[in-house]
Amino acid sequence: MKKFITVFSISLFLLFSINTVTAIAQPKTYSQGFYTMNDLGLNENTLYKVRNNEPYVEGLLIIVDSDKKIQQLIRIAPNSTENTLIPLKNDYKFIIYNNVRLNFS
């Protein structure tokens, strides 16, 4: 009986001490400015999606390569759905224009 109480107590202790934590990647939010791949924490050759979370402000995202050629230009409507970006390279720079909050995921 003493062994049962000990095992039961340890089992209850372990049951209540183990916390399940749900790990969900948080989208990265950025506002107006100039950014590099490292600033945004994005990886090369990965497809990303960008979304505008501002309810009333339209945004503009310009992706420029090292030769200063525009690779992609996206006009993002307020509360937009996700827009898919081109596969990115390490030398790309990002220009976010207007007072928007863009999420990269």
Side-chain angles (χ1 to χ4, degrees), residues 50 58-65 69-77 83-86 88 92-97 102:
V50 64
E58 184 177 85
L60 190 66
L61 174 65
I62 305 169
I63 301 175
V64 181
D65 65 8
K69 294 179 184 172
I70 294 176
Q71 296 299 316
Q72 188 172 16
L73 184 132
I74 303 173
R75 183 176 300 203
I76 305 172
N83 296 292
T84 304
L85 299 178
I86 60 173
L88 303 173
Y92 285 179
K93 294 185 177 27
F94 300 81
I95 302 168
I96 299 174
Y97 181 73
L102 298 182

Side-chain angles (χ1 to χ4, degrees), residues 31-81:
S31 58
Q32 181 171 328
F34 296 91
Y35 299 96
T36 62
M37 290 280 288
N38 291 336
D39 295 339
L40 299 176
L42 303 176
N43 296 324
E44 187 175 16
N45 292 325
T46 305
L47 290 178
Y48 287 97
K49 296 182 180 182
V50 64
R51 181 171 190 222
N52 182 4
N53 285 336
E54 286 292 326
Y56 304 108
V57 181
E58 184 177 85
L60 190 66
L61 174 65
I62 305 169
I63 301 175
V64 181
D65 65 8
S66 60
D67 295 330
K68 298 182 179 120
K69 294 179 184 172
I70 294 176
Q71 296 299 316
Q72 188 172 16
L73 184 132
I74 303 173
R75 183 176 300 203
I76 305 172
N79 282 334
S80 67
T81 59

